[in-house]
Amino acid sequence: MAPPDLPLFERDREQAVLSAVIGELRSGRPALVTVTGEPGLGQNELLRWAAGQARDRGVHVLAARATSAEHELRYGVVAQLLAPEDRDIATRLFVAPQRPGGLPGLNHLLTACHDRPTLLVVQDVQWLDPASLRWLEALARRLPRAPLALLTSTTGTAIDRPEWSVGTPLTGLASTIELALPPLTSSGVSAAVRTVCGVPGDTDFTHALAQATRGVPAVVHEVLLRFTRTGCAPRAEHVEHLRALTAEVVGDHAAQALSELRDPVAVDVLRALAVCGDLLDFPLVCTLAGLHPVPEARLRATLMASGLLTPRDGSPPGHDAVVRARILEEMPAADRADLYARAARLAQRVAVADQGIAELLLRARPVGAPWAVATLRRGFAAALRSGRRDRATAYLARALDEPLRSEERARVELQLASVQMVTAPTAAERRLHGLIRSTGTGTGLRSQAVDLCLLGGDTRAARLAQPTGPGTLGDPAPCDADVPAPRRGSGTGSPPGRRARAVAGDATAPRGGNTSDPAHRDGSDEHPERTTTADNDATVSERDELATVSERHELIALLRVARFLRHEETCPGVPPAPALPEHSHSPAVAGVRAWEHAMAGVHLEASRRLARAAFAPDPGGRPPLVTPRLFACRALFLTDDGDEAEAHLATLLNEAHRQRAAIAIAHVLAVRADLHLRHGRPDAAARDLAAAEAELPPARLHPLFVPYWASLNLVADLQNGRPDRAREIAARPVPSLSEECATSAYLLFARGVLARSEDDPQRARAYFRACGRWLLHYGCVNPAVLPWRSLAAEAAHALGDDAEALRLTREEVRLAARWGTRSALGRAELGLAVVIRENRTEHFRAAVATLSESPARTDYTRAVLELASAESAEAERRTALALTSRRASTAGGVAPGPLPGFSQAPPAPAGVPPGRGAAPHPRPPAGWPALSPAEHETALLAASGLANREIATTLSVTTRAVELRLSGVYRKLRIRGREELRALRYGPEGG
């Protein structure tokens, strides 16, 4: 395999040994030298160098080379050796009959050696034919009586191991030497790069070359020759090109070795090894190759001699992968697929790991066995656990090639699409559209397909699921569509009341024994054993009708969600979305209806009740949908039931993790980040957003959701003190489709918040107005969704437009009062207090009182600080913290009074209206009444600027005690440290 001009790098020791052998041969001392090593290490090149040295010193040289093609040719190597001495020897050896014990030409050679020293050079003795092997062994036994040396090379494992190569007593007094050639070291590879390329190579380049070629000189030399032809310098930037060339060279060497392998049994075993050598032991691989008379040891030796089977130690996986690929490329496609199928069956019988069998099945023809699909699905789950989504989708796609029942096929399609929504969304949409259009899809799968499409941003899928004909999604009157009509002519149909109870999950009424039921007045209940086949058919039919109704209600709910995400009803030819059924027991309908009530800002208790019903089990046992439950959680945000929503989101997240649905995980995390921001936890929101982007990279996010995610990131960065990142997010362009969806309002609102933080009321008002127009376009009037009116009013107030400011804030107060939550009303009252001139302090007090009973912690903190500033400006004695303490004490708690220092808030700077310019704190001091006297003292001293050691000296306690007290203060006040504690002492403007 080595080219004739291969330099002998790092072979100085071997060359010195061979030079000594040649020198001693001229003095009459015989020797046996065997050069071993993997193919390509330069054994034959070293033998050619020794032959040249011997000729230069006057030694007679006879050379031959064994090949796999002549392995069965009798005396093939002997004929090559003796041909220079006797031109007719080949004819006699090949044609004359073989005599027992005959060694043709051996005595003549030994006689001639007495007159002149002779060196016999035989390359690749692993391919010696049996007759030549016996001849050379006989020669080795006679070496002590003649000035003759035998120099051979082998790949390390000969088919029939020559006895002289192990140093047996057969060689007598002759020197027996075995030279094992190692691969090139890093220095040798560097020297090869310098010699072939003409310039030294980079360290990274040389290291990559040594690793890819394993230091095999033949491969190193050929790779460098091809690399220099490209005109590139041996630099680190060309490492990838170098690796590609190495794979090409290794593959070419493997193809050449395969073409020289003449034994068909060895070829079959080699192909079986290429398929499953890492999974099955060699005896099992031989069994896979088929019945054959060749012993296992001989097969192994043959493959080792070819260089196509290398020891597992010291052979990098990439090298083996290239050789295997080249071996399998030589097979016809049908034979290769059949071999993989047989290997998978064998691996399944011997209980190989699921992923190993799944890898075999990927390239196999369909096996038609149930275990194949089960194995591929288990391999899919294991691949997802290890983060290999591409491999997981390949397993499920292969499972679809197996014969499957229609419902099982639909489930596999749905599972595959849930992963492809992240890796290949276009393919996932096509797959889901096929499921939606299919009439044979199982229970709940069409609804789940539409649900998954909505998570991926595909709103068209909800309209694809719309059936045609009477009673469809497009019917304007849904009314009693959830109660199917009785079947005529059956005589056993259940009355509508019973079917309604079945939809509601009422399983308490027995089938028989109810004499008041008109359908059983014939006395059939007295003999239940007489139930006919028609009764069973009617029951099955009724159940099918109820399932159809449930599916229709779910699809209507999903269509309403699609309408909210993208308002297409203004487009020509798009019919309006039907209203939700008034009487439905579907959790999906309940979740969407709760959100619609919250959007309209009406029916607070009904919205809360419906949102909770969205998480109840379906009466018909249908699988729950993700999107309606997410909207139910968002409705719970708006009803001030954030803790309950967070618990439901945790349940959704666990469910999505169990199903390995990355897109569902991402959306749940994004909604939870929204909850964290509303409750004043920006750090937790940032963590959830980072986890969501790890599941669903922003590049894979559908344009419909880009504004929502961008708004969450913008506000989280702003609240976490990273305004530069917030400005960067705000400046990013969004896809054109993003401007057509309801979530655009969130990004407009977030940009307004950023402009407000930058003290740009003109730009802030423009963004808040645009946000409001977009929300009103989608029918959202509830200020709890986004309080754009109050913030636009503050911007208008800063610009001197008090009339607009009062109009907007009073409208928000009215709408918030109609909705009825403390958060929405408190924010509205706070906005009104900021812009109104009369009784500002009283309005701030009302806002503090309202927000103190809400989960809006950030707004409550701002209201407290605004009230403190307003009271300070009016020189009043009451403070926000005193109000908080008094309210807590009147509620039945015994709490200490406020600290004296916390009532000294300085007036606002000149030019700033009272109550404006206060930066909100991320945590309110809601736990102030719960502080102990010792914590009160410690908090006062810490807020005054004393260090922990000074506080410990003042209070005669240890520093550790001070640290523990301050930790309790921070925890109870829900603040993060001294800066916030100091801000509470000195008021909103700082001290």
Side-chain angles (χ1 to χ4, degrees):
M1 296 174 64
D5 56 343
L6 178 67
L8 296 173
F9 294 112
E10 297 187 326
R11 298 294 181 254
D12 298 337
R13 181 182 67 88
E14 292 79 6
Q15 288 174 324
V17 171
L18 294 178
S19 295
V21 167
I22 294 171
E24 292 180 353
L25 178 61
R26 296 182 66 228
S27 301
R29 291 197 59 184
L32 271 170
V33 182
T34 304
V35 182
T36 66
E38 294 182 25
L41 290 180
Q43 300 94 313
N44 293 341
E45 178 64 21
L46 192 61
L47 263 62
R48 286 191 288 269
W49 175 87
Q53 292 291 314
R55 291 190 186 97
D56 293 341
R57 297 185 186 186
V59 176
H60 184 55
V61 178
L62 300 176
R65 182 179 182 182
T67 63
S68 60
E70 298 179 355
H71 176 62
E72 301 299 332
L73 180 62
R74 189 180 64 177
Y75 291 120
V77 169
V78 174
Q80 295 180 53
L81 286 173
L82 301 182
E85 306 294 325
D86 186 355
R87 295 182 178 180
D88 298 329
I89 188 68
T91 303
R92 295 197 303 272
L93 290 175
F94 300 153
V95 177
Q98 183 178 5
R99 293 178 298 170
L103 297 170
L106 179 58
N107 292 330
H108 177 74
L109 174 64
L110 293 173
T111 302
C113 288
H114 286 287
D115 298 331
R116 54 180 178 177
T118 303
L119 176 65
L120 270 64
V121 179
V122 182
Q123 301 176 22
D124 298 329
V125 295
Q126 70 270 12
W127 298 117
L128 279 174
D129 61 275
S132 296
L133 178 62
R134 290 193 302 272
W135 193 92
L136 288 174
E137 287 177 345
L139 173 67
R141 287 193 292 270
R142 292 166 174 79
L143 279 182
R145 299 191 296 271
L148 187 144
L150 178 60
L151 177 59
T152 63
S153 68
T154 176
T155 56
T157 304
I159 298 174
D160 292 310
R161 182 114 173 135
E163 294 187 11
W164 72 78
S165 62
V166 293
T168 63
L170 295 176
T171 57
L173 299 177
S175 300
T176 303
I177 303 171
E178 183 171 353
L179 300 175
L181 300 184
L184 295 179
T185 64
S186 299
S187 300
V189 174
S190 299
V193 172
R194 190 182 307 108
T195 301
V196 178
C197 298
V199 294
D202 282 353
T203 303
D204 292 341
F205 182 91
T206 304
H207 177 73
L209 178 62
Q211 187 178 30
T213 61
R214 297 186 297 124
V216 177
V219 180
V220 170
H221 187 254
E222 189 168 347
V223 168
L224 289 175
L225 287 179
R226 296 189 187 186
F227 182 80
T228 54
R229 294 192 194 109
T230 63
C232 300
R235 297 289 180 263
E237 57 265 24
H238 300 133
V239 165
E240 292 302 323
H241 178 52
L242 175 73
R243 288 179 177 143
L245 285 177
T246 304
E248 182 181 334
V249 170
V250 171
D252 291 345
H253 285 193
Q256 180 182 353
L258 186 62
S259 65
E260 295 174 354
L261 194 60
R262 304 295 180 178
D263 188 351
V265 176
V267 172
D268 291 341
V269 173
L270 185 63
R271 289 171 174 173
L273 278 170
V275 167
C276 57
D278 291 337
L279 298 176
L280 303 178
D281 295 335
F282 192 77
L284 288 174
V285 172
C286 294
T287 302
L288 179 63
L291 299 175
H292 49 77
V294 184
E296 177 187 326
R298 184 176 181 85
L299 279 173
R300 190 187 294 272
T302 301
L303 297 177
M304 292 289 291
S306 68
L308 295 170
L309 180 63
T310 57
R312 291 177 183 258
D313 296 336
S315 181
H319 189 276
D320 286 345
V322 172
V323 174
R324 290 175 182 173
R326 188 58 65 94
I327 291 170
L328 294 174
E329 284 175 4
E330 304 296 327
M331 294 182 66
D335 295 346
R336 184 168 59 246
D338 181 71
L339 179 59
Y340 272 106
R342 290 189 287 112
R345 286 196 188 95
L346 181 58
Q348 194 269 340
R349 286 200 297 271
V350 298
V352 173
D354 286 333
Q355 279 196 281
I357 304 175
E359 285 293 321
L360 296 175
L361 289 171
L362 278 183
R363 300 166 182 82
R365 58 169 175 75
V367 297
W371 60 262
V373 176
T375 301
L376 287 167
R377 296 185 75 172
R378 289 194 298 269
F380 159 81
L384 279 186
R385 283 195 297 270
S386 60
R388 302 167 61 207
R389 287 177 180 161
D390 292 339
R391 196 46 117 199
T393 56
Y395 290 153
L396 279 192
R398 171 61 183 82
L400 293 173
D401 294 336
E402 297 290 334
L404 295 169
R405 292 180 290 105
S406 59
E407 184 171 349
E408 185 179 8
R409 178 174 296 277
R411 293 188 183 280
V412 174
E413 293 263 12
L414 185 68
Q415 195 174 22
L416 175 57
S418 69
V419 181
Q420 285 183 328
M421 272 296 181
V422 176
T423 59
T426 304
E429 287 181 8
R430 286 197 301 266
R431 196 177 299 280
L432 291 172
H433 288 181
L435 282 177
I436 293 168
R437 292 189 180 99
S438 174
T439 59
T441 307
T443 303
L445 291 182
R446 293 182 72 225
S447 300
Q448 291 183 73
V450 177
D451 183 36
L452 191 54
C453 283
L454 289 178
L455 291 176
D458 178 16
T459 58
R460 298 171 300 163
R463 296 198 178 276
L464 286 177
Q466 182 175 356
T468 58
T472 67
L473 300 187
D475 289 348
C479 57
D480 295 329
D482 57 332
V483 181
R487 292 170 51 89
R488 293 193 177 185
S490 64
T492 56
S494 299
R498 174 175 295 180
R499 282 193 292 272
R501 288 195 301 272
V503 176
D506 184 5
T508 58
R511 284 284 178 185
N514 185 2
T515 56
S516 63
D517 191 337
H520 296 278
R521 289 178 182 174
D522 57 356
S524 60
D525 289 343
E526 299 176 3
H527 304 282
E529 67 276 4
R530 296 179 183 175
T531 302
T532 62
T533 304
D535 295 331
N536 295 333
D537 293 342
T539 302
V540 173
S541 176
E542 177 184 323
R543 187 164 54 248
D544 293 342
E545 289 177 2
L546 294 177
T548 302
V549 169
S550 298
E551 182 179 82
R552 183 159 64 247
H553 288 183
E554 287 178 346
L555 294 177
I556 291 175
L558 294 173
L559 186 56
R560 300 290 295 183
V561 172
R563 176 186 178 276
F564 169 74
L565 291 177
R566 189 179 181 190
H567 202 25
E568 296 177 317
E569 294 179 357
T570 56
C571 301
V574 178
L580 290 169
E582 292 294 336
H583 306 287
S584 177
H585 301 279
S586 170
V589 172
V592 177
R593 186 180 290 281
W595 172 249
E596 291 189 351
H597 284 337
M599 289 274 290
V602 294
H603 309 311
L604 172 65
E605 291 302 325
S607 179
R608 180 180 287 124
R609 174 177 50 81
L610 289 168
R612 290 167 177 167
F615 295 92
D618 186 88
R622 297 173 65 81
L625 303 179
V626 176
T627 306
R629 288 184 291 169
L630 281 179
F631 277 89
C633 287
R634 295 174 70 178
L636 289 173
F637 296 176
L638 307 182
T639 61
D640 280 358
D641 297 296
D643 292 340
E644 187 176 350
E646 190 169 4
H648 289 310
L649 286 172
T651 301
L652 280 172
L653 192 60
N654 291 335
E655 178 184 303
H657 275 297
R658 284 196 305 270
Q659 296 174 356
R660 311 293 176 187
I663 193 165
I665 294 172
H667 279 286
V668 173
L669 288 170
V671 173
R672 194 169 70 174
D674 191 352
L675 173 63
H676 289 320
L677 290 176
R678 290 175 181 270
H679 286 194
R681 299 190 291 264
D683 50 348
R687 288 193 298 271
D688 274 352
L689 289 171
E693 291 181 359
E695 295 288 339
L696 180 61
R700 297 288 189 183
L701 188 64
H702 194 277
L704 290 182
F705 300 115
V706 168
Y708 181 60
W709 285 44
S711 68
L712 296 177
N713 279 287
L714 193 157
V715 175
D717 285 335
L718 199 59
Q719 293 187 7
N720 282 315
R722 294 190 286 265
D724 293 339
R725 289 182 54 179
R727 282 190 287 270
E728 179 187 350
I729 294 172
R732 289 176 191 166
V734 295
S736 57
L737 184 59
S738 300
E739 301 174 358
E740 303 177 13
C741 62
T743 59
S744 296
Y746 288 85
L747 184 56
L748 292 170
F749 183 84
R751 286 172 173 170
V753 171
L754 177 62
R756 179 170 175 265
S757 70
E758 294 174 343
D759 198 18
D760 188 351
Q762 186 73 36
R763 190 159 53 95
R765 181 170 67 168
Y767 278 127
F768 290 133
R769 281 177 169 177
C771 168
R773 286 193 297 270
W774 206 246
L775 288 175
L776 293 176
H777 173 69
Y778 278 88
C780 178
V781 297
N782 191 350
V785 177
L786 291 173
W788 63 271
R789 294 177 183 86
S790 58
L791 295 184
E794 290 185 23
H797 178 63
L799 294 171
D801 192 351
D802 291 339
E804 181 186 2
L806 286 173
R807 179 182 61 82
L808 288 173
T809 51
R810 283 171 176 162
E811 182 181 2
E812 181 162 330
V813 169
R814 178 180 61 81
L815 294 173
R818 185 181 73 171
W819 177 237
T821 61
R822 309 295 288 180
S823 295
L825 183 58
R827 279 193 296 263
E829 290 173 345
L830 178 60
L832 179 61
V834 169
V835 302
I836 201 168
R837 295 183 182 275
E838 298 83 8
N839 299 323
R840 173 179 283 118
T841 303
E842 294 302 323
H843 284 291
F844 277 129
R845 289 191 185 114
V848 169
T850 304
L851 287 172
S852 65
E853 300 176 8
S854 77
R857 301 169 185 170
T858 303
D859 294 310
Y860 172 63
T861 304
R862 183 191 172 207
V864 169
L865 297 176
E866 293 278 12
L867 175 58
S869 178
E871 287 181 341
S872 176
E874 295 180 9
E876 293 185 0
R877 296 183 179 181
R878 297 173 61 190
T879 64
L881 292 177
L883 179 64
T884 303
S885 300
R886 188 159 53 252
R887 185 176 61 252
S889 62
T890 56
V894 179
L899 293 178
F902 281 83
S903 62
Q904 305 299 323
V912 180
R916 294 191 49 78
H921 290 275
R923 292 289 188 274
W928 185 260
L931 295 183
S932 66
E935 289 172 338
H936 270 262
E937 293 176 348
T938 307
L940 174 61
L941 295 175
S944 301
L946 297 181
N948 286 0
R949 187 179 298 278
E950 296 171 332
I951 296 173
T953 302
T954 302
L955 300 178
S956 300
V957 295
T958 63
T959 306
R960 179 59 178 165
V962 174
E963 294 172 353
L964 293 175
R965 289 180 185 180
L966 288 179
S967 298
V969 170
Y970 301 153
R971 184 179 66 256
K972 293 176 182 178
L973 296 185
R974 288 180 160 174
I975 59 177
R976 302 184 204 179
R978 287 174 177 263
E979 291 300 323
E980 294 182 38
L981 190 64
R982 188 169 177 270
L984 291 176
R985 170 187 171 92
Y986 290 108
E989 299 299 327

